[in-house]
C-alpha cells in the first residue's frame, strides 16, 4: 500500500506526462489541420493517436530507463549551479541543493504524526527518493565493494534507490517480495522457498517490522545464506525501548498508535544486535558517525527511523 506522499508523487508525474503528451499531440493536430489540411475529424484522430502513443512512450521510458530523470536532473543543475549543490545522494550519485520532504507526517491514515514532530523531514532525495538509511547503506557498500562484487545477492522488498546503486555499479541482484509482482521471486520471508545456502548476501531493509514472526524470518535468512554469508538488515528501532515491542493490534488505528505506522506490527529496541546474534550471526552495526555529512545521516523522518544498519555475518557451522 502506497502512502499519501508516494501517491502525490505519482499524481504529479502523471500530470507532467499528460501535459507533455497534450502539447506534443496538439502540435501534431495543428500540423494535420493547417499544414496537411486533413480536416477536423482527421485532426482530432491525429491528436488522440499521438496523445496515446506519447503517453505510452513516456511511461515506458520512465519505467525502463533513467532517461527522464537524467533530463530532469540536467534542468535541476541549470537552476542550481554546482557551488549551491552541497549535498550528495550516494544512491543515485547526484549532488543536490538539499533533500526534500514528502509529507509523511501529514498522512494520518498511515502514520502517527507525533512520531515525526521532533525529526528533520526534508531528508528524501528528489530523484531516487532515498531516505538517510539507504544513503548510509550505499556509502557502506561503496567502501566494501568486494563483499558484494561477484556475489549471489538476494534483496527482499527492493527499494528503487538501492537498486539504482546496484545498477550503476554493474552488480546483479535478485529481487524478492511476497506482494510486489515486479519482484523476480515471490517469497514469504518467514518460510522461504529456497534451498539452504543459496545466496552469499541477503539484503533486508524494513521488512521485519511487517511480518508475522521475525524469529522465523531470521531463522530462514540464516538458512539460505552460505557459511560466512552476509545479511544486511535494518528495521524501525526506537532507542527508548529496551527490547522489541510487539502486541496484538487488529485495527489500523491501534497499529498506528502502537507502532507509528499502519502496517507495522512491532518496533525493535536497543538490544537488536543481541537479537540478531542469537540467530547465528556475528553482528556489526554501521557506525553512522563516520558517514560524510553531505548525505545527511540524521535520525528521521520518523523517530523510529534510527537509520541503524546491521551487517551480520553467518557464523561458520561447527
Ligand atoms: Zn538519489
Amino acid at each position: 500500500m502506497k502512502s499519501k506522499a508516494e501517491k502525490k508523487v505519482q499524481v504529479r508525474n502523471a500530470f507532467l506526462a499528460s501535459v507533455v503528451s497534450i502539447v506534443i499531440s496538439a502540435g501534431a493536430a495543428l500540423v494535420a489541420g493547417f499544414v496537411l489540411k486533413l480536416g477536423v475529424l482527421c485532426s482530432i484522430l491525429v491528436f488522440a493517436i499521438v496523445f496515446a502513443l506519447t503517453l505510452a512512450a513516456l511511461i515506458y521510458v520512465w519505467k525502463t530507463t533513467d532517461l527522464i530523470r537524467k533530463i530532469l536532473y540536467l534542468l535541476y543543475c541549470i537552476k542550481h549551479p554546482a557551488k549551491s549543490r552541497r549535498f550528495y545522494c550516494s544512491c543515485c550519485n547526484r549532488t543536490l541543493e538539499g533533500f526534500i520532504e514528502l509529507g509523511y507526517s501529514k498522512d494520518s491514515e498511515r502514520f502517527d504524526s507525533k512520531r515525526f514532530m521532533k525529526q528533520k523531514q526534508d531528508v528524501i532525495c528528489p530523484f531516487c527518493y532515498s531516505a538517510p538509511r539507504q544513503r548510509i547503506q550505499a556509502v557502506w557498500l561503496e567502501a566494501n565493494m568486494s563483499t558484494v562484487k561477484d556475489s549471489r545477492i538476494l534483496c527482499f522488498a527492493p527499494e528503487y534507490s538501492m537498486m539504482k546503486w546496484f545498477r550503476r555499479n554493474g552488480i546483479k541482484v535478485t529481487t524478492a517480495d511476497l506482494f510486489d509482482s515486479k519482484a523476480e521471486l515471490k517469497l514469504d520471508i518467514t518460510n522461504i522457498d529456497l534451498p539452504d545456502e543459496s545466496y552469499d548476501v541477503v539484503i533486508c531493509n524494513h521488512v521485519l517490522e511487517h511480518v508475522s514472526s521475525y524469529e522465523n524470518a531470521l531463522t530462514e535468512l540464516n538458512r539460505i545464506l552460505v557459511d560466512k554469508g552476509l545479511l544486511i538488515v535494518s528495521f524501525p528501532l526506537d532507542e527508548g525501548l529496551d527490547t522489541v515491542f510487539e502486541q496484538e493490534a487488529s485495527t489500523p488505528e491501534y497499529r498506528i498508535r502502537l507502532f507509528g505506522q499502519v502496517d507495522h506490527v512491532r518496533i525493535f529496541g536497543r538490544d537488536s544486535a543481541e537479537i540478531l546474534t542469537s540467530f547465528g550471526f556475528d553482528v556489526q552495526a554501521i557506525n553512522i558517525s563516520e558517514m560524510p555529512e553531505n548525505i545527511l545521516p540524521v535520525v528521521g523522518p520518523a523517530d523510529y527511523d534510527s537509520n541503524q544498519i546491521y551487517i551480520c555475518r553467518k557464523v561458520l557451522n561447527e
Side-chain angles (χ1 to χ4, degrees), residues 25 28-34 36-50:
S25 47
L30 286 173
V31 170
F34 293 101
L36 302 175
K37 315 250 184 253
L38 291 180
V40 176
L41 270 179
C42 276
S43 298
I44 291 171
L45 196 62
V46 167
F47 179 91
I49 292 170
V50 174

Side-chain angles (χ1 to χ4, degrees), residues 13 21 59 64 115 119-120 155 162 168 270 274 312:
N13 290 348
S21 303
I59 292 169
T64 57
R115 307 214 61 157
Q119 312 303 328
K120 213 170 154 47
C155 181
M162 289 315 300
R168 72 182 179 81
R270 289 191 302 274
E274 287 91 326
C312 311

Side-chain angles (χ1 to χ4, degrees), residues 56-269:
L58 285 172
I59 292 169
Y60 178 80
V61 171
W62 177 263
K63 289 196 168 174
T64 57
T65 78
D66 209 21
L67 184 66
I68 295 177
R69 278 189 180 86
K70 279 181 179 158
I71 294 168
L72 292 175
Y73 185 60
L74 193 68
L75 298 172
Y76 180 90
C77 289
I78 293 168
K79 194 176 170 196
H80 306 284
K83 64 175 185 311
S84 72
R85 300 198 307 271
R86 295 178 296 112
F87 295 100
Y88 174 64
C89 177
S90 47
C91 292
C92 66
N93 193 31
R94 290 179 173 114
T95 53
L96 303 165
E97 189 179 50
F99 295 98
I100 60 165
E101 179 179 341
L102 276 189
Y104 294 116
S105 61
K106 299 181 188 84
D107 189 351
S108 57
E109 282 173 28
R110 279 182 55 78
F111 302 101
D112 180 355
S113 61
K114 289 194 291 298
R115 307 214 61 157
F116 293 80
M117 277 162 68
K118 291 180 184 160
Q119 312 303 328
K120 213 170 154 47
Q121 295 300 301
D122 50 345
V123 296
I124 306 296
C125 170
F127 291 94
C128 73
Y129 307 117
S130 66
R133 65 173 182 270
Q134 286 127 12
R135 296 193 289 275
I136 290 165
Q137 194 165 320
V139 169
W140 186 89
L141 287 167
E142 200 96 36
N144 294 272
M145 195 67 92
S146 60
T147 59
V148 285
K149 206 91 183 171
D150 304 319
S151 295
R152 292 167 296 170
I153 305 171
L154 179 66
C155 181
F156 280 92
E159 298 142 317
Y160 173 81
S161 53
M162 289 315 300
M163 290 306 106
K164 171 81 185 157
W165 184 88
F166 282 109
R167 265 200 309 278
R168 72 182 179 81
N169 284 285
I171 298 171
K172 168 83 180 91
V173 173
T174 303
T175 56
D177 200 289
L178 187 55
F179 303 110
D180 185 354
S181 58
K182 291 197 286 292
E184 290 162 89
L185 302 178
K186 184 180 168 78
L187 293 176
D188 174 358
I189 199 168
T190 63
N191 184 18
I192 303 173
D193 187 15
L194 287 174
D196 296 356
E197 306 196 359
S198 314
Y199 283 89
D200 304 305
V201 177
V202 174
I203 296 171
C204 179
N205 285 324
H206 284 236
V207 175
L208 298 184
E209 70 275 22
H210 296 277
V211 302
S212 56
S213 164
Y214 76 89
E215 295 94 334
N216 287 356
L218 285 170
T219 304
E220 284 288 84
L221 291 169
N222 185 288
R223 180 183 67 76
I224 63 163
L225 278 166
V226 297
D227 277 339
K228 296 188 179 175
L230 277 191
L231 168 66
I232 301 174
V233 65
S234 65
F235 34 71
L237 195 160
D238 185 340
E239 294 288 351
L241 293 173
D242 293 334
T243 189
V244 59
F245 168 63
E246 50 187 352
Q247 188 176 308
E248 188 65 37
S250 53
T251 68
E253 294 78 16
Y254 199 34
R255 285 195 293 275
I256 289 174
R257 187 142 59 86
L258 288 180
F259 311 116
Q261 190 170 317
V262 71
D263 50 357
H264 288 184
V265 296
R266 65 183 61 82
I267 299 186
F268 289 83

